[in-house]
Amino acid sequence: MAAARALPLTATLLTGTVALYITLVAFGNITDFGTNQQFVQHVLSMDTTFKDDDLMWRAVESKGLQDAAYIAIIVWETVAALVLILGTVQWLRRDHVRARRTSTLGLLMLMLLFGAGFIAIGGEWFSMWQSEDWNGLDAAMRVFLLSGVVLVVIHLPVDRVGSASGGNTTGQVDL
């Protein structure tokens, strides 16, 4: 298969895979609200950490704020899922410029949520790494890395000088 066709196909499949994943995550959080609500409540309240007095002032014990944070996470996941579904459809329609732009937005949304949200804020600020029961750092890292790999793939140049496009010598990407 020519590189000019293989890379967009790969981008389509990978973007679709991440879209499916985050759609199922958001759907699960909406239909089984209580399971991950407990996760967010325990992380924010820091009740399963080492309870170091120098850190416990960071704990958020308000159920209202905990629920607001959880709802914000679900909304963010849902919007990211919709953006990535749109990106997948655009890849399928061979609208590569828009697909790349849309997919980039959706993937960056996930990298922000799982990188800044779960790894940095949850893991470090709320010391989630200290909890044996409510530590989501491994799962967050998997999503962060998967999203990053897909982001790199969708930004690979489709064409190199003189390759599959039949002699493109400008060095520009043919989409």
Side-chain angles (χ1 to χ4, degrees), residues 4-18:
R5 281 182 271 171
L7 199 52
L9 175 61
T10 302
T12 304
L13 295 174
L14 290 175
T15 302
T17 298
V18 178

Side-chain angles (χ1 to χ4, degrees), residues 32-129:
D32 183 18
F33 190 84
T35 298
N36 283 327
Q37 179 187 29
Q38 289 179 24
F39 173 84
V40 171
Q41 287 174 342
H42 285 288
V43 169
L44 294 181
S45 69
M46 299 174 68
D47 61 353
T48 60
T49 63
F50 301 160
K51 301 218 175 35
D52 183 337
D53 288 338
D54 293 332
L55 298 178
M56 290 308 292
W57 64 270
R58 300 175 184 177
V60 175
E61 296 177 355
S62 164
K63 297 289 186 205
L65 289 177
Q66 292 170 350
D67 288 345
Y70 183 47
I71 290 168
I73 290 167
I74 294 171
V75 169
W76 192 268
E77 290 169 341
T78 303
V79 172
L82 293 171
V83 169
L84 288 167
I85 290 168
L86 176 60
T88 303
V89 169
Q90 290 169 332
W91 283 114
L92 288 169
R93 291 182 177 168
R94 298 174 191 240
D95 187 354
H96 297 164
V97 173
R98 283 194 181 112
R100 183 173 286 125
R101 189 177 310 129
T102 303
S103 298
T104 297
L105 176 61
L107 293 165
L108 288 176
M109 288 178 71
L110 292 182
M111 293 182 80
L112 281 171
L113 176 62
F114 288 92
F118 290 109
I119 296 170
I121 295 171
E124 290 302 318
W125 184 257
F126 291 108
S127 300
M128 181 171 56
W129 65 270

Side-chain angles (χ1 to χ4, degrees), residues 7 10-11 14-15 18 107 111 141-156:
L7 199 52
T10 302
L14 290 175
T15 302
V18 178
L107 293 165
M111 293 182 80
M141 185 61 74
R142 281 192 303 269
V143 177
F144 182 80
L145 291 175
L146 173 63
S147 299
V149 167
V150 176
L151 186 61
V152 168
V153 169
I154 68 171
H155 283 278
L156 290 173

